[in-house]
Amino acid sequence: MNKPESAQEDAPVWTGRVDDEPATPRWHQQVQAPTTGAAPGVFLLGFACDAGVLRNHGRIGARKGPAAVRRALAGMAWHGDTPVYDGGDVTCGDDAHGGALEAAQRQFAARVTAALEAGHRPLGMGGGHEIAFASWQGIAAHLAHASRPPRIGIVNFDAHFDLRAPVHGGTSGTSFAQIAADCAQRGWRYRYACLGVSRASNTQALFHRARELDVLVHEDLDFERAPDAVRRNLAAFVADNDFIYLTIDIDALPAAEAPGVSAPAALGVPLRHIQPLVASLLASGKVIACDLAEFNPDHDIDNHTARVVARLIHQMAGQS
């Protein structure tokens, strides 16, 4: 039986089984607190925020995602030798009209930049997909003083483009339009790949905007009808960039695999199709930062979604 919500939220997250035999480490035994001068590793950073989802008229609960994911990760077997640090959470209230979201995004961005400067690879845990603009700001600040404009490719596994114009402020559905505007202001090229798009969930205007911005688009159906084209086009996209920012909206997966999301997918892209592509991105050596968004524990069923998110983080942290 599940614990009451308050008990779950207050329970320690990095705890679990300890085996007596050797060579049996688990995540909860390996995750460290970050310290100055620590060896480069993966830097977990939570974005406990629902404000962008609320502004986007979605169902809230994603702010509880980071703690729920840590609990799901804690007992997983540890296989790698790359250090993993937990940098804690940036929190934000359910702010529909004020500036708390933007303040939280700036705080998250500053911590992403600091992690990159320390040689770590940030791995963000949302929260709504407003985390993407925060991650981008952190990456951009880190690369802003490069000798030439950086070639950064954004790879987003998502049922939605999230290219809405931020008319009344940013939301969970505007991050990639905000990034496009930021690139234009900086004089950087904008390179965006959105994989898993649902034609039923994106308007004609959004498809038109994606064409205007030269977005690499593969719909959810393409993963069954043209998987070779998806792999080939993604590989070409990676080759054309120096850095990759990888972001995964969990609502890209079928609702049967990931029911605990802000906007469940009727079709979606199964995890078995996403994981090999994530592996190819990581193998490129170009992934500078990554994050996952829209996990909503309030609507999960028997921790199915928590386990899916934990499995993806396990992979992104080099444990697969």
Side-chain angles (χ1 to χ4, degrees):
M1 186 174 77
N2 290 336
K3 296 179 183 178
E5 180 180 296
S6 59
Q8 287 186 340
E9 289 183 344
D10 294 340
V13 292
W14 294 124
T15 187
R17 172 177 172 168
V18 177
D19 294 331
D20 293 331
E21 58 186 326
T24 55
R26 301 178 189 277
W27 269 73
H28 71 90
Q29 296 168 286
Q30 299 295 316
V31 174
Q32 309 170 47
T35 57
T36 302
V42 173
F43 193 93
L44 301 177
L45 184 58
F47 190 62
C49 179
D50 266 328
V53 175
L54 184 63
R55 290 183 185 180
N56 202 31
H57 309 293
R59 56 183 190 176
I60 62 172
R63 65 176 176 81
K64 302 174 186 176
V69 172
R70 288 183 178 97
R71 285 192 290 271
L73 277 169
M76 294 183 72
W78 182 275
H79 292 281
D81 53 11
T82 300
V84 176
Y85 306 98
D86 187 354
D89 291 345
V90 171
T91 61
C92 176
D94 296 339
D95 163 48
H97 303 293
L101 170 57
E102 287 73 20
Q105 287 175 316
R106 289 191 295 270
Q107 184 182 355
F108 188 89
R111 292 172 72 172
V112 167
T113 302
L116 289 168
E117 297 291 337
H120 305 309
R121 184 171 76 232
L123 203 171
M125 302 178 294
H129 216 170
E130 61 268 28
I131 192 177
F133 187 53
S135 290
W136 168 265
Q137 288 176 305
I139 296 166
H142 173 64
L143 296 175
H145 304 296
S147 58
R148 63 180 177 86
R151 301 192 306 167
I152 310 168
I154 304 161
V155 177
N156 178 27
F157 290 91
D158 201 332
H160 309 92
F161 284 120
D162 290 347
L163 282 170
R164 291 192 183 94
V167 178
H168 301 294
T171 75
S172 60
T174 65
S175 282
F176 302 98
Q178 291 175 276
I179 294 172
D182 186 65
C183 285
Q185 185 174 6
R186 293 175 184 272
W188 295 358
R189 68 173 195 164
Y190 178 66
R191 295 292 289 127
Y192 176 36
C194 194
L195 310 177
V197 173
S198 166
R199 185 164 287 270
S201 301
N202 294 267
T203 63
Q204 293 181 42
L206 289 171
F207 274 94
H208 179 68
R209 192 165 301 145
R211 287 191 293 272
E212 286 183 330
L213 292 169
D214 194 26
V215 177
L216 170 61
V217 179
H218 274 293
E219 296 182 31
D220 45 17
L221 290 169
D222 291 342
F223 286 78
E224 296 291 347
R225 64 191 177 191
D228 290 341
V230 175
R231 288 191 292 269
R232 184 170 58 252
N233 291 337
L234 181 59
F237 181 89
V238 172
D240 192 42
N241 289 283
D242 299 321
F243 304 97
I244 296 295
Y245 159 43
L246 168 62
T247 180
I248 301 177
D249 189 322
I250 302 303
D251 73 20
L253 283 89
E257 289 188 13
V261 296
S262 299
L267 181 61
V269 181
L271 184 62
R272 70 177 184 274
H273 290 320
I274 292 176
Q275 277 202 303
L277 296 177
V278 170
S280 70
L281 292 168
L282 296 173
S284 73
K286 294 183 177 183
V287 175
I288 188 172
C290 41
D291 56 46
L292 297 97
E294 302 287 349
F295 168 40
N296 187 330
D298 284 351
H299 297 279
D300 206 359
I301 300 172
D302 197 25
N303 292 321
H304 289 341
T305 316
R307 291 187 178 95
V308 167
V309 179
R311 183 64 183 261
L312 285 165
I313 291 177
H314 186 78
Q315 179 182 22
M316 290 177 174
Q319 295 292 304
S320 296

